[in-house]
Amino acid sequence: RKKQQQKYIIQFMGREVYTKNILSNVRRIWTDELGKKEKDLKDIKIYIKPEENKAYYVINGDITGSVWI
């Protein structure tokens, strides 16, 4: 069975932001900046605030931060 492909794009103020890029940045923070293992990443919640040009994240319920979008 072929895996269903999904793509989420946020459009605002003449820009397009791909949610997969935001997710990649948050995963990179987890592994590269925090030195954690990918297998220990259990849950990511991302809150996108286009008016602030930021996406806020919560990893595993207790690690928080933000990335520019």
Side-chain angles (χ1 to χ4, degrees), residues 10-15 17 22 47-56 67-69:
I10 299 167
Q11 295 181 323
F12 65 100
M13 297 177 67
R15 296 180 55 206
V17 175
I22 296 169
Y47 303 88
I48 299 169
K49 299 209 54 182
E51 68 276 13
E52 295 179 15
N53 286 318
K54 284 196 165 187
Y56 296 87
V67 293
W68 291 103
I69 57 172

Side-chain angles (χ1 to χ4, degrees), residues 1-50:
R1 184 173 167 184
K2 193 173 183 180
K3 185 178 177 184
Q4 181 184 23
Q5 184 177 359
Q6 298 177 352
K7 186 183 288 188
Y8 299 96
I9 303 166
I10 299 167
Q11 295 181 323
F12 65 100
M13 297 177 67
R15 296 180 55 206
E16 285 189 349
V17 175
Y18 292 84
T19 56
K20 71 175 184 170
N21 295 343
I22 296 169
L23 182 58
S24 293
N25 287 339
V26 173
R27 287 181 180 275
R28 184 187 47 74
I29 289 168
W30 176 257
T31 56
D32 296 351
E33 294 182 21
L34 298 175
K36 307 283 188 176
K37 294 184 183 204
E38 182 75 28
K39 68 179 180 111
D40 295 329
L41 198 154
K42 304 296 183 208
D43 180 61
I44 300 175
K45 291 183 177 68
I46 297 176
Y47 303 88
I48 299 169
K49 299 209 54 182

